[in-house]
């Protein structure tokens, strides 16, 4: 096992100085965010070669712009550039790199629930899995002093194990 803590998004703003530094941060439901929260999260995760793991639609709803949907907000938060498309039916993903520490334990096949809008990464350093349209569904990007991982794929225990290995947890 790995030690872990749970925090609310508002804790990154209101308790920023009290939050310890971690090797990995996982953001599961970070869909709606304002600029203050994005800045507080950036100040916390963008140092010490930490790994930030973003699931599904991080920052997609911009709370400062009357809850407008924004791929630019997602980019500013994660460091990735995204595309969006509406889908019907279950989303199928394809492995592109099963030898990476993150994906090496993951099982086949990868099928996700229907979500309506799907996101793909277009500027990753490494794409570990793709959507049916070929864009990055599980992607890694090294940035100055931190690493960003985006996953459209639900985080299974195998992916969590790989993420822990990748982050040095």
């Amino acid at each position: 096992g790995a030690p872990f803590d749970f925090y609310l998004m508002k804790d990154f703003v209101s308790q920023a100085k009290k939050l310890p530094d971690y090797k990995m941060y996982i953001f599961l439901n970070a869909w709606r965010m304002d600029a203050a929260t994005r800045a507080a999260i950036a100040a916390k995760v963008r140092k010490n070669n930490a790994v930030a793991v973003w699931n599904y639609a991080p920052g997609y709803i911009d709370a400062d712009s009357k809850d407008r949907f924004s791929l630019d907000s997602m980019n500013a938060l994660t460091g990735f550039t995204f595309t969006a498309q509406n889908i019907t039916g279950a989303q199928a993903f394809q492995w592109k790199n099963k030898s990476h520490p993150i994906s090496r334990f993951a099982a086949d096949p990868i099928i996700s629930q229907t979500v309506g809008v799907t996101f793909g990464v277009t500027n990753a350093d490494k794409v570990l899995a793709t959507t049916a349209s070929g864009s990055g569904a599980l992607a890694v990007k090294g940035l100055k002093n931190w690493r960003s991982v985006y996953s459209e794929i639900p985080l299974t225990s195998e992916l969590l194990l790989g993420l822990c290995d990748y982050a040095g947890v």
Side-chain angles (χ1 to χ4, degrees):
F4 64 92
D5 294 310
F6 288 102
Y7 294 99
L8 300 174
M9 296 300 288
K10 67 182 180 179
D11 293 337
F12 280 89
V13 177
S14 66
Q15 304 292 321
K17 292 181 181 177
K18 293 181 182 178
L19 296 180
D21 290 335
Y22 293 97
K23 292 181 179 181
M24 181 170 63
Y25 302 85
I26 300 175
F27 297 93
L28 295 175
N29 297 311
W31 305 335
R32 183 179 184 272
M33 230 181 270
D34 60 23
T37 304
R38 281 192 303 274
I41 288 171
K44 181 52 80 175
V45 306
R46 295 179 180 183
K47 60 185 179 180
N48 305 327
N49 203 32
V51 175
V53 180
W54 312 98
N55 197 242
Y56 181 55
Y60 184 51
I61 300 172
D62 186 346
D64 295 319
S65 299
K66 299 181 182 176
D67 291 336
R68 177 179 65 92
F69 298 127
S70 173
L71 295 176
D72 291 336
S73 290
M74 290 175 69
N75 176 284
L77 180 64
T78 67
F80 290 111
T81 303
F82 292 91
T83 60
Q85 77 182 86
N86 290 322
I87 61 165
T88 58
Q91 175 80 342
F93 303 101
Q94 299 170 340
W95 287 115
K96 293 298 177 190
N97 183 340
K98 287 277 301 237
S99 62
H100 191 277
I102 294 172
S103 55
R104 68 184 169 150
F105 301 113
D108 293 321
I110 317 166
I111 299 173
S112 179
Q113 67 280 1
T114 302
V115 292
V117 177
T118 186
F119 301 95
V121 171
T122 60
N123 69 331
D125 292 341
K126 293 182 178 135
V127 173
L128 308 180
T130 60
T131 63
S133 65
S135 59
L138 179 58
V140 179
K141 186 169 188 174
L143 299 145
K144 185 178 179 182
N145 301 321
W146 68 294
R147 295 170 286 167
S148 191
V149 176
Y150 172 74
S151 183
E152 175 94 5
I153 300 167
L155 298 178
T156 62
S157 59
E158 294 87 2
L159 283 176
L160 288 170
L161 178 61
L163 285 163
C164 286
D165 281 354
Y166 177 68
V169 173

